[in-house]
Amino acid sequence: MRSSQYDILFEPVRIGPVTAKNRFFQVPHCNGMGHRAPSGMAAMRGIKAEGGWAVVCTEVCEIHPSADVSPHSHARLWDDADIPALARAAEAIHRYGALAGVELGHHGFRAQNRTTREVPMGPSSQTVVSYDPVQSRVMDKQDIRDLRRWHRAAALRAKRAGFDVIYVYAAHGLVTPMQFLSRRYNQRTDEYGGSLENRVRLLRELIEETKDAVGDTCAVPVRICVDELIGPSGLCADGEGRDVIEMLADLPDLWDVTVGDWSNDSRPSRFGDEGVHEEYVRFVKQVTGKPVVGNGRFTSPDTMVSQIRRGVLDFIGAARPSIADPFLPRKVELGQMEDIRECIGCNICAAADNTYTPIRCTQNPTMGEEWRRGWHPEKVPPQESEDSILVVGAGPAGLECAVTLGKRGYQVMLAEATEELGGRAVREPRLPGLAVWGRVREYRVEQLHRLANVEVFLASPMTAQDVLDTGANRVVVATGSRWRRDGVARYHRSPMTVLDDRSVFTPDDIMDGTAVSGPVIVYDDDHYYMGGVIAEKLRLQGLEVTLVTPAPLVSAWTVNTLEQTRIQRRLLQIGVRIRANEALVAFQDGEARLACTFTGTVQPQPAKAVIMVTARLQNDTLYDDLMARSDEWEAVGLKAVTRIGDAEAPGTIAAAIFSGHRHARECERTTGQEGVPFLREIPALGSWPS
Ligand code: ADP
Ligand code: SF4
């Protein structure tokens, strides 16, 4: 059982007319499922409720076709036809005694309205935030009245769908009430613009009208940005952000406080620690008597207790920690602290929403798979036989596979070539800013220690003969991958021909501690985090570093993980030179040749070393050797050999963990689905002219 110091986290807290059973509050978060996959969304929320969260919210819920953010798939309450889909989420949440919350939102001039083709509208005429050639119109008085009416109607629908907590959303710069609040978006001269009193008017009206519509039985919180992080020209904690809370102090039933835009609110661990928002939000409880929830990648129960005891927050808000471990509250409640699967702050979850796909998570391979594959984060099916299983390689894929097979009850041997468990989850966390990613290894190694049926063999590089000698009935090859040094990735699809091998290095060399001398070119045709991280590491060692990339941005894919701006800013600030839209086409005799990706014009650039951050090669020797000896399997009792993770195809850590988990969960089981390996939600056909 837990120690009494955590009891405070399990106190009930009243929110207007409803009561939360404890202080764990899953704040709204995107999930890429929304209205396109409502059962998937509902099941995922239901699992959070089962895991002990007292309040479980949906993502933002569009209230009207005048603000459509497709192709993002969020919840919708455009009309009554949307009620059943959302009711499913409320029902799933209620099943475990949690309060169901919904975040009603209207995106104002941020909505491109790509599907509805309505003209976006906002307090002023503004271009949309994407590069879409779309501009909003100025809302007139009738538009404002309409918006208030739509919001009220959506609140009533949310109540009919079964929700207990119905938000007014004014955060992240995303939504109309916040656009009215912020001086830089609101250039009106009527009673909705100018003074703060006027700019607050719409938010005040929405709160009052929502409470009037549903406040008898439902709580009405406000999610608000208290500091836009742009100084006094925006809302700020020692300026208008504070003033707004003071003006509305006890009007909403709860304040859900955020800081900056989404990329700040979901700050990647490379750029912010747990509780990073405290300095901006701690004033809120001093100016309201209503409960306050805030987030900050809280995964440590001690930090949570401290936030409550010091009067910073009343509720521990969480999006990512609840994604990485939907059972976090339950584990704290039972005192199972070592079982908490802590979020690593990599934002792969956010990338799913930004690429319009169902949510996934590096730490929690079941996230987003609760309904369509029937995966539960804490339960696995029992073993199907007494087969013994050998897993070769203890990187993320091998570790996850061995742990999951062990939990199923199989006898497992885990053989790792090096002296340490973890593979890339040991090596990469030693790079600048990635220390928190070490939790990938820590969680799984902790689980391994509890499993008496999993034997671990370190310093055991396995050959095919070694494998056959073990007598294992099944073999899983999780031998990982290594970075290429021949330039092959997206720009060069076959090896570069003019390349001075002696001065070409890879991220593996750098992680192994190989010394290089400058000036150095980091050639990034990978486009995820590694190029930027290696450039940062070498620059911090004092080398002259130029990052060359065929992409227009450094670490271009990290736009999806909400990191790109910070990565490029950091590199520029520490003096890394950046040459974008250029490809390395040759490197010889101390000179690199860089070609413009548009014109092909080639320019020389002196360099003593090139670090190739390009594609990777799977370590498939063991797998190939075993397959070549398949006629010997039967004699030693071997039935199947499978490769997983980077050994199958190099990818993200999230993909490796998913691969390891999937293989372990499905071992000796069919998915029951021929062809499509998961359930699908197929939209109902509309009417058709006869
Ligand atoms: P993944 O991301 O797929 O888990 P990693 O590269 O992180 O891949 O991990 C692969 C692990 O496999 C490394 O720890 C590596 O030392 C180990 N390994 C590679 N080849 C062998 C082998 N033949 N025998 C045992 N371990 C191996
Ligand atoms: Fe945390 Fe990464 Fe999982 Fe998101 S994907 S919840 S940031 S571990």
Side-chain angles (χ1 to χ4, degrees):
M1 224 22 216
R2 67 171 185 265
S3 128
S4 59
Q5 74 190 91
Y6 303 114
D7 287 354
I8 194 169
L9 298 173
F10 294 92
E11 292 170 350
V13 181
R14 210 165 164 72
I15 317 174
V18 299
T19 301
K21 65 181 176 185
N22 63 38
R23 297 182 186 269
F24 290 91
F25 194 121
Q26 186 246 269
V27 293
H29 71 75
C30 295
N31 55 92
M33 297 193 280
H35 67 270
R36 282 203 295 267
S39 297
M41 195 276 270
M44 179 267 284
R45 303 294 182 195
I47 290 278
K48 307 274 194 89
E50 186 185 346
W53 299 86
V55 184
V56 178
C57 300
T58 69
E59 65 281 9
V60 61
C61 175
E62 294 176 357
I63 62 168
H64 193 262
S66 60
D68 128 54
V69 293
S70 59
H72 288 279
S73 184
H74 296 162
R76 264 183 190 165
L77 276 174
W78 285 2
D79 64 21
D80 288 0
D82 290 316
I83 293 177
L86 266 182
R88 186 162 286 190
E91 187 196 314
I93 295 165
H94 285 158
R95 209 173 286 165
Y96 295 96
L99 296 172
V102 59
E103 183 185 54
L104 302 181
H106 186 275
H107 288 78
F109 73 78
R110 286 248 171 173
Q112 300 99 335
N113 291 343
R114 288 173 177 162
T115 298
T116 63
R117 300 181 67 178
E118 295 293 328
V119 175
M121 57 186 185
S124 311
S125 182
Q126 299 264 0
T127 50
V128 296
V129 181
S130 66
Y131 292 133
D132 291 38
V134 174
Q135 194 166 331
S136 63
R137 67 178 159 83
V138 184
M139 289 170 77
D140 62 19
K141 295 288 171 50
Q142 186 56 44
D143 290 324
I144 294 175
R145 279 192 291 273
D146 286 344
L147 174 67
R148 290 164 50 192
R149 195 163 43 78
W150 300 331
H151 199 279
R152 184 185 179 93
L156 287 166
R157 285 190 196 106
K159 184 177 177 180
R160 277 168 59 201
F163 286 91
D164 317 286
V165 177
I166 300 178
Y167 267 74
V168 177
Y169 182 28
H172 299 132
L174 281 174
V175 278
T176 311
M178 162 127 195
Q179 292 162 15
F180 271 78
L181 277 181
S182 180
R183 237 193 312 243
R184 58 194 177 126
Y185 299 137
N186 182 345
Q187 284 125 32
R188 302 177 74 91
T189 52
D190 62 4
E191 68 267 35
Y192 287 93
S195 69
L196 185 61
E197 190 77 44
N198 283 352
R199 283 180 278 130
V200 166
R201 191 177 309 278
L202 176 65
L203 177 58
R204 185 191 293 279
E205 288 169 344
L206 292 175
I207 303 168
E208 287 169 349
E209 288 160 5
T210 307
K211 287 188 82 169
D212 181 59
V214 300
D216 53 340
T217 57
C218 301
V220 178
V222 170
R223 190 161 221 217
I224 192 156
C225 172
V226 292
D227 200 313
E228 293 182 82
L229 302 179
I230 53 170
S233 63
L235 299 171
C236 60
D238 52 4
E240 288 195 340
R242 184 187 181 105
D243 297 341
V244 173
I245 308 272
E246 279 176 349
M247 288 162 94
L248 300 174
D250 288 346
L251 190 58
D253 292 321
L254 170 138
W255 287 103
D256 178 342
V257 288
T258 69
V259 178
D261 62 9
W262 186 25
S263 71
N264 189 69
D265 204 20
S266 290
R267 187 102 66 106
S269 57
R270 279 178 77 177
F271 299 98
D273 294 331
E274 183 174 19
V276 68
H277 306 315
E278 180 175 330
E279 64 173 300
Y280 301 101
V281 305
R282 65 173 156 231
F283 78 87
V284 179
K285 266 186 65 61
Q286 292 154 18
V287 295
T288 177
K290 295 301 168 104
V292 177
V293 58
N295 63 304
R297 204 164 44 75
F298 293 120
T299 59
S300 150
D302 293 321
T303 307
M304 296 174 193
V305 168
S306 160
Q307 292 280 314
I308 309 290
R309 288 212 187 285
R310 289 184 297 112
V312 183
L313 300 172
D314 297 292
F315 283 103
I316 301 304
R320 292 173 295 172
S322 76
I323 293 168
D325 197 340
F327 275 62
L328 192 156
R330 190 93 186 102
K331 290 174 183 174
V332 178
E333 189 174 19
L334 297 175
Q336 299 167 346
M337 308 306 184
E338 305 74 30
D339 289 330
I340 297 173
R341 209 168 31 240
E342 289 184 280
C343 167
I344 67 166
C346 62
N347 283 358
I348 282 290
C349 48
D353 185 63
N354 284 328
T355 52
Y356 322 121
T357 41
I359 190 166
R360 63 211 57 196
C361 168
T362 300
Q363 279 284 60
N364 174 10
T366 67
M367 179 47 48
E369 305 294 347
E370 299 84 355
W371 177 77
R372 68 176 190 172
R373 290 183 209 261
W375 288 4
H376 188 283
E378 302 299 318
K379 295 181 197 155
V380 286
Q383 69 196 100
E384 295 279 327
S385 72
E386 295 300 317
D387 281 358
S388 62
I389 305 180
L390 168 69
V391 178
V392 184
L399 279 177
E400 176 67 22
C401 190
V403 166
T404 309
L405 286 168
K407 288 184 176 173
R408 287 191 62 191
Y410 283 102
Q411 280 300 323
V412 181
M413 292 172 277
L414 174 62
E416 163 57 40
T418 68
E419 301 275 357
E420 250 179 321
L421 295 172
R424 61 187 292 198
V426 176
R427 290 154 65 79
E428 294 182 19
R430 293 176 185 147
L431 293 168
L434 297 186
V436 176
W437 292 25
R439 292 174 175 179
V440 166
R441 170 187 181 277
E442 286 157 20
Y443 167 72
R444 289 168 180 82
V445 170
E446 176 67 33
Q447 298 296 302
L448 272 185
H449 287 150
R450 321 268 187 84
L451 291 162
N453 53 331
V454 182
E455 277 181 287
V456 176
F457 301 91
L458 292 173
S460 304
M462 304 292 282
T463 63
Q465 188 59 50
D466 296 333
V467 169
L468 295 173
D469 289 345
T470 63
N473 304 119
R474 298 177 179 275
V475 173
V476 183
V477 178
T479 46
S481 64
R482 62 199 181 278
W483 291 90
R484 297 181 75 121
R485 56 180 79 238
D486 57 6
V488 170
R490 291 168 173 80
Y491 189 87
H492 298 288
R493 292 285 170 183
S494 51
M496 289 173 63
T497 47
V498 185
L499 207 52
D500 181 355
D501 283 348
R502 290 157 307 163
S503 306
V504 172
F505 303 91
T506 70
D508 290 319
D509 298 325
I510 303 301
M511 286 188 275
D512 287 341
T514 305
V516 295
S517 44
V520 176
I521 287 178
V522 175
Y523 178 55
D524 184 3
D525 198 16
D526 168 60
H527 309 292
Y528 191 19
Y529 56 92
M530 188 57 82
V533 170
I534 294 288
E536 183 176 343
K537 178 177 169 66
L538 296 177
R539 181 66 194 136
L540 293 177
Q541 287 171 5
L543 299 184
E544 194 183 308
V545 179
T546 304
L547 190 145
V548 177
T549 178
L553 297 171
V554 168
S555 299
W557 194 77
T558 62
V559 165
N560 297 308
T561 51
L562 312 173
E563 294 169 290
Q564 198 283 326
T565 308
R566 283 195 167 86
I567 292 173
Q568 191 144 349
R569 184 188 305 141
R570 176 173 288 180
L571 293 186
L572 289 168
Q573 283 170 343
I574 62 175
V576 172
R577 287 185 59 208
I578 292 169
R579 296 190 60 166
N581 296 315
E582 289 188 289
L584 178 76
V585 291
F587 174 51
Q588 216 170 30
D589 303 328
E591 186 180 274
R593 299 184 72 75
L594 309 179
C596 169
T597 55
F598 297 105
T599 63
T601 307
V602 172
Q603 286 189 353
Q605 161 94 9
K608 287 216 177 99
V610 165
I611 319 296
M612 288 287 189
V613 188
T614 49
R616 283 176 282 158
L617 286 168
Q618 60 279 13
N619 294 329
D620 48 14
T621 313
L622 177 63
Y623 177 80
D624 289 347
D625 290 351
L626 284 168
M627 297 315 272
R629 295 175 65 174
S630 57
D631 51 345
E632 297 172 49
W633 293 6
E634 200 178 337
V636 295
L638 178 57
K639 300 178 190 168
V641 175
T642 319
R643 57 191 162 166
I644 59 168
D646 292 338
E648 183 183 16
T652 59
I653 297 174
I657 289 178
F658 175 78
S659 165
H661 188 85
R662 180 179 181 187
H663 178 73
R665 197 178 268 269
E666 294 178 352
C667 181
E668 295 195 87
R669 287 165 57 91
T670 57
T671 59
Q673 294 274 112
E674 190 63 37
V676 183
F678 45 72
L679 297 174
R680 287 189 296 158
E681 210 141 22
I682 299 183
L685 284 177
S687 62
W688 189 249
S690 50

